[in-house]
C-alpha cells in the first residue's frame, strides 16, 4: 500500500481541524465553557485527544478560534445572501444584523467568547480571526471609509460593545435598541439589512452548524 501524498495528508489535517472547531462550538453552546472538556470536544469530533493539542495550545484558544469561525462564516453568509448587492450601506446593515443575531441566538456561546477576550491572551491570532477582520474591514471600505485601518477597529469595538450590552446578566439591553443605535451611528435606514428575528430559514439560530464548518475547498 503506497503512502498518502502530502496533499492528501494536508487535506485530512484540515478536515480534522474543522471537526474540532465545530465540536467546540456545539458543546460550549450546549453546556457552557467550564462544563466542556477537551476530551469531550475530541470525542464529539471523532478525533484523538492528542490531536487537539497538535492544533491548539489549550481549550480557550480552541473555543475562541471556533467562535471566530462561526462569526466569519455567519457574516460571510449574510453579506452574500440573495439578492446579492455591492451597496456599501446595505452590506454594513447586514453585517450589524448578523452579529446581533448571534448575540440573540447563541447567548451562552457569545457570552463565553466575550469573557475569553478579556483574559490576558486577548484575541487569538488565527486564520478565523483574520478572516473576520478582513470581512469587516472590507465592509467599512465598501461603506465609503477613506481610512479602513482606523474605521474597522471602531466598527469592531461598537459591535463588541453591543454584544456585551445584549448579554450582561440581569440588565441586558434589547437587541432592537442596540440595532437602532448602531444604525443611527452609521446613518443607515432601518429598512436596510435583515433585522434579527426576520431571517429566512437557516439563520443564526439553526441547530445544525455543519455548513459553517464545511470541509470543502474554500481557503481560510
Amino acid at each position: 500500500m503506497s503512502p498518502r501524498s502530502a496533499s492528501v495528508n494536508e487535506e485530512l489535517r484540515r478536515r480534522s481541524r474543522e471537526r474540532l472547531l465545530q465540536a467546540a462550538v456545539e458543546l460550549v453552546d450546549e453546556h457552557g465553557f467550564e462544563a466542556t472538556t477537551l476530551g469531550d470536544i475530541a470525542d464529539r469530533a471523532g478525533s484523538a485527544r492528542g490531536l487537539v493539542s497538535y492544533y491548539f495550545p489549550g481549550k480557550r484558544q480552541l473555543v475562541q478560534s471556533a467562535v471566530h469561525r462561526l462569526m466569519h462564516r455567519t457574516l460571510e453568509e449574510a453579506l452574500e445572501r440573495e439578492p446579492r448587492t455591492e451597496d456599501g450601506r446595505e452590506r454594513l446593515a447586514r453585517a450589524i444584523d448578523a452579529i446581533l443575531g448571534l448575540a440573540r441566538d447563541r447567548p451562552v456561546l457569545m457570552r463565553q467568547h466575550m469573557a475569553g477576550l478579556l483574559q490576558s491572551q486577548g484575541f487569538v491570532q488565527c486564520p478565523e480571526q483574520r478572516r473576520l477582520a478582513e470581512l469587516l474591514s472590507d465592509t467599512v471600505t465598501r461603506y465609503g471609509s477613506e481610512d479602513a485601518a482606523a474605521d474597522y477597529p471602531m466598527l469592531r469595538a461598537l459591535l463588541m460593545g453591543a454584544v456585551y450590552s445584549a448579554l450582561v446578566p440581569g440588565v441586558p439591553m434589547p437587541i432592537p435598541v442596540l440595532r437602532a443605535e448602531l444604525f443611527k451611528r452609521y446613518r443607515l435606514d432601518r429598512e436596510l439589512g435583515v433585522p434579527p428575528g426576520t431571517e429566512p430559514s437557516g439563520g443564526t439560530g439553526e441547530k445544525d452548524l455543519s455548513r459553517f464548518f464545511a470541509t470543502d475547498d474554500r481557503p481560510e
Side-chain angles (χ1 to χ4, degrees):
M1 184 177 182
S2 60
R4 289 195 295 256
S5 67
S7 62
V8 170
N9 284 329
E10 179 61 28
E11 175 64 12
L12 291 173
R13 285 192 291 268
R14 186 176 69 84
R15 288 173 180 267
S16 294
R17 188 175 184 277
E18 295 276 344
R19 287 194 296 269
L20 289 170
L21 291 170
Q22 181 177 345
V25 161
E26 291 174 347
L27 287 167
V28 173
D29 196 37
E30 293 167 10
H31 306 296
F33 181 80
E34 297 299 333
T36 299
T37 68
L38 288 175
D40 295 333
I41 294 171
D43 289 344
R44 174 71 67 91
S47 301
R49 170 65 176 79
L51 195 59
V52 183
S53 301
Y54 174 79
Y55 292 116
F56 304 97
K59 182 171 72 168
R60 191 171 300 282
Q61 291 85 351
L62 166 54
V63 171
Q64 193 175 134
S65 291
V67 176
H68 278 139
R69 166 58 65 84
L70 178 61
M71 291 175 71
H72 95 61
R73 286 281 175 88
T74 299
L75 181 56
E76 189 175 58
E77 187 175 87
L79 292 172
E80 299 307 317
R81 179 180 293 124
E82 296 293 344
R84 298 185 64 179
T85 179
E86 299 299 319
D87 180 74
R89 294 169 59 80
E90 170 64 20
R91 291 177 72 86
L92 179 56
R94 291 185 185 189
I96 292 171
D97 286 339
I99 301 303
L100 290 178
L102 282 172
R104 184 203 62 186
D105 295 329
R106 308 282 176 190
V108 173
L109 192 64
M110 296 303 290
R111 189 177 292 120
Q112 173 52 52
H113 181 61
M114 298 302 295
L117 294 179
L118 296 176
Q119 301 297 313
S120 58
Q121 300 94 334
F123 272 113
V124 171
Q125 299 298 317
C126 60
E128 287 74 27
Q129 189 275 327
R130 289 193 294 272
R131 180 57 180 149
L132 178 61
E134 289 168 1
L135 285 171
L136 288 175
S137 182
D138 178 70
T139 297
V140 297
T141 298
R142 295 183 189 226
Y143 170 71
S145 169
E146 296 180 356
D147 186 3
D151 292 337
Y152 152 65
M154 178 57 69
L155 174 61
R156 182 184 64 196
L158 290 169
L159 290 173
M160 289 174 63
V163 170
Y164 178 86
S165 298
L167 298 176
V168 176
V171 287
M173 288 194 67
I175 294 290
V177 172
L178 294 167
R179 181 183 193 265
E181 283 299 311
L182 286 170
F183 273 44
K184 181 179 178 182
R185 166 68 172 76
Y186 287 101
R187 299 179 181 178
L188 301 173
D189 297 331
R190 63 181 182 180
E191 293 79 13
L192 296 174
V194 184
T198 65
E199 307 97 330
S201 61
T204 57
E206 187 76 18
K207 287 187 76 71
D208 182 7
L209 299 176
S210 59
R211 75 182 189 281
F212 297 110
F213 300 88
T215 54
D216 58 18
D217 294 324
R218 278 184 290 185
E220 293 289 350

